[in-house]
Amino acid sequence: MKLASFVAIISLMMLYSNGFAGNRMNIIPEPNSILQNEGSFQLSRKTIIQSTSALRSLSDYLASQLKFFTGISLKVVTYSKRSRPNSMVLEIISASKATNPEAYTLDIAPNKVVLKARTQEGLFRGIQSLLQLVPLKGTNGVGDISIPACLIKDAPRFAWRGLNLDCVRHFMTINFIKRYINLLAYYKFNVFHWHLTDDQGWRIQIKKYPKLTEIGAWRNEGNGEKYGGYYTQKEIKDVVAYAKSRFITVVPEIEMPGHCQASLAAYPENACVPGPFQVGTQWGVYTNIYNPAKRSTYPFLENVLTEVMRLFPSHYIHIGGDEVPKTEWIQNTLCQELMKEKNLQNVDQLQSYFIRKIQAFLKSHGRQIIGWNEILEGDGPATGAVVQSWQGIDGAITAVKKGLYTIDSPSNYTYLSSSPSDLPLDSVYSFNPIPPGLTHSQKKLVLGTEASMWTERAPQDDVDSKMFPRLLAISEDAWTDPQKKNYSDFHKRVKEEYSRLAYLGVDYGLEQRAMAYNSEFDKLEKRFVVSIQPTQPGVKLRYTIGDTLTIENSHLYQKPVTIDTTNTFIGQAEINGRLVGNPVKLSFMIDEALDSKVTLKYPYSPEYTGGGPEGLVNGIRGTSNFRDGLWQGFKGDDLDATVKLKGKTKISQIGAGFLQSSSSYIFMPSSVTFYVSKDGKDFRRVGLVENYVSEKNPDNIRKDFVVHFRPRDVRYFRIVAKNIGVCPPWHPGAGAKAWVFVDELFAN
Ligand code: ACM
């Protein structure tokens, strides 16, 4: 048989066996075994859900979810010996303790659906697969709700499949958190890691220390308003119980010994330096940390953790431990005395002394710590700790080599707070939580992985669009065997999932950089033509010419846009009426130097060509990112450029644009001198502009240096920008060659 006809027959068979066209077994995360069978189960008002009374709440949950997805209310009946046709049966089976507690078997046959597992947890995971196979209300015609017949045997690859949600940088409401718990359950996650305390806020009520929330939960915003909020113990208990009913463990994170400025604002006596302190108002890491040598500190933290343990039954309590700037410990007399007394050689060992003390306290209450990979510093934690690796996978490797458990969640694969342009869906999907090169027993110490959503740039309303669809890739990284993973198949399922995400009310965002763009210079008309193309189906592109883009001030992109004055083109993606992703900004300059000829005395660096020889007169301005390909860099040398205009031209100003990014050794030129000439031989100096931007300014600064003069006819102009030579003595790169970065030379 020819391959083509063979394929055609197979497709025909699949078409009929599925009961309706176009159906795929669209389950995320992909189950570890699916056998598709002939026919389908027809769900109707007459279908019943059957189980023993012990499983009544699971059956009710299934009924409520089926109602949500299909609009049909099914009757739930307590199990009678003979299960009836046209029923969905939930059943606990006896199996060896070695069987994965989350394993399930889902057998969908034309007359019956049977879901079996060793535990209720397993049944709950299986219910999610069933729900994902049910067609959505309104998509299949009235009365036709067919579920494709199949046999699924499934179990997760990892026991730890989590989401870390930062509710400090932005406060998230209880309803929002419950909504996420439902979404996590639907994609078979089982851990909600709740980031509750940090420099910028304390969000958990602690009855013994009311000031933690009276003071620590609120920060001053730039506009004079207070921002914040906290969760009462009652609300927390409610969330924990809600999550439990969805077989999700809530793991609280209480940060120490750093990331604690909000705590110190409330109780400054635990600090290394005298207060008072303000709840952090800037993003980034604060240098004020707990003092491990103060008497007050341990009872305070232990009392806090005691209340935390009462609220959270989780075996693991996350104590942060990341990004601790230890300068205060070096300068603090009490810390130095403690280090002498305990024979600690350095502040890293002081950190492990502190971590181990907290770990021992939690252990005495039957709990164990999780800490970010920095808890490995110094002597590391004691046995039993879980190391969560975020700075790459090295922390995970070091941990398992020491016999410690790890959650492998490197920022470059799992931080969904990164934009989809920097961390696209396919990269997230390519992540394997087991680092290469581990032995069999080391692999067993890898508990799993987590996505992280840090919310500095994500108030509640923006979280969905950052999290989805990439959270789906994490769900599969954590659940599905690597041999079963296949990006192109996953991507097809994601594309079908968009309608379901919309049905679930998820404001999903981008898979990757939203658009490809291209700009061409039309020499004849002296104008730019910009075209943009979406990179994801279902995404519209909007654009505007100006400083900012909103839905209201922008146009739907339909055809290339012409720009014939100095102006900025902004393009941004839109999904279902919402702007998503970062805008693309292209700043154009229309002037007399455009498309002329440039001669350089010193060559530009091959690393930063700014578009090559004509890059300085291409009319496209650089952005604040020095790696954007639009900046030309000169290492240690001056920029000394002569521009030959197209013909004799009357001009009255000349200028050049520069960038300073001092942490990258890029500084403003110390001065820029301008010359003009009629013949390219005799040059007249027309001005000199001194730099006044401080070399110490840490921001990325763009600045045009410009001279004005009485209008005159010229054919050439020359610009000499003096490089400061080497990085100044105070700079970390003192003595190393400094850069001059220029994006454009212009004349008018
Ligand atoms: C972290 O991102 N500082 C854990």
Side-chain angles (χ1 to χ4, degrees), residues 345-504:
Q345 307 303 313
N346 52 47
V347 285
D348 286 347
Q349 286 187 322
L350 180 56
Q351 175 171 299
S352 34
Y353 166 85
F354 167 86
I355 298 282
R356 282 172 179 240
K357 235 170 122 77
I358 296 293
Q359 184 180 7
F361 171 75
L362 287 170
K363 198 167 172 210
S364 72
H365 290 82
R367 308 296 182 97
Q368 192 46 266
I369 62 162
I370 307 173
W372 295 105
N373 55 247
E374 291 95 322
I375 65 167
L376 290 165
E377 289 167 5
D379 301 319
T383 324
V386 179
V387 175
Q388 183 165 13
S389 191
W390 71 280
Q391 292 163 312
I393 57 170
D394 291 354
I397 296 171
T398 309
V400 298
K401 289 194 170 161
K402 285 171 171 259
L404 299 167
Y405 287 112
T406 190
I407 297 162
D408 193 15
S409 55
S411 61
N412 53 334
Y413 287 106
T414 66
Y415 274 23
L416 303 185
S417 23
S418 318
S419 93
S421 343
D422 298 331
L423 178 57
L425 183 68
D426 57 352
S427 299
V428 178
Y429 193 78
S430 71
F431 177 56
N432 181 351
I434 302 269
L438 301 191
T439 63
H440 184 67
S441 56
Q442 287 167 346
K443 285 180 189 169
K444 292 199 149 159
L445 296 171
V446 180
L447 296 178
T449 189
E450 279 185 4
S452 276
M453 176 54 62
W454 302 105
T455 57
E456 285 90 342
R457 284 164 205 87
Q460 179 171 299
D461 286 351
D462 293 351
V463 168
D464 279 14
S465 75
K466 288 181 170 270
M467 200 96 85
F468 287 93
R470 293 177 297 165
L471 190 66
L472 306 181
I474 300 272
S475 85
E476 202 146 311
D477 294 342
W479 181 280
T480 308
D481 278 340
Q483 296 91 327
K484 290 280 297 177
K485 283 176 71 187
N486 172 320
Y487 183 71
S488 103
D489 179 74
F490 169 72
H491 194 219
K492 282 186 195 135
R493 281 180 284 126
V494 168
K495 280 192 268 182
E496 290 194 27
E497 199 67 8
Y498 286 130
S499 56
R500 203 158 279 245
L501 285 172
Y503 192 82
L504 289 163

Side-chain angles (χ1 to χ4, degrees), residues 530-534 540-543 555-561 569:
V530 182
S531 53
I532 50 182
Q533 298 86 36
K540 291 179 187 160
L541 299 181
R542 303 193 73 86
Y543 76 95
H555 313 276
L556 207 55
Y557 177 82
Q558 270 150 345
K559 59 179 200 320
V561 177
F569 171 95

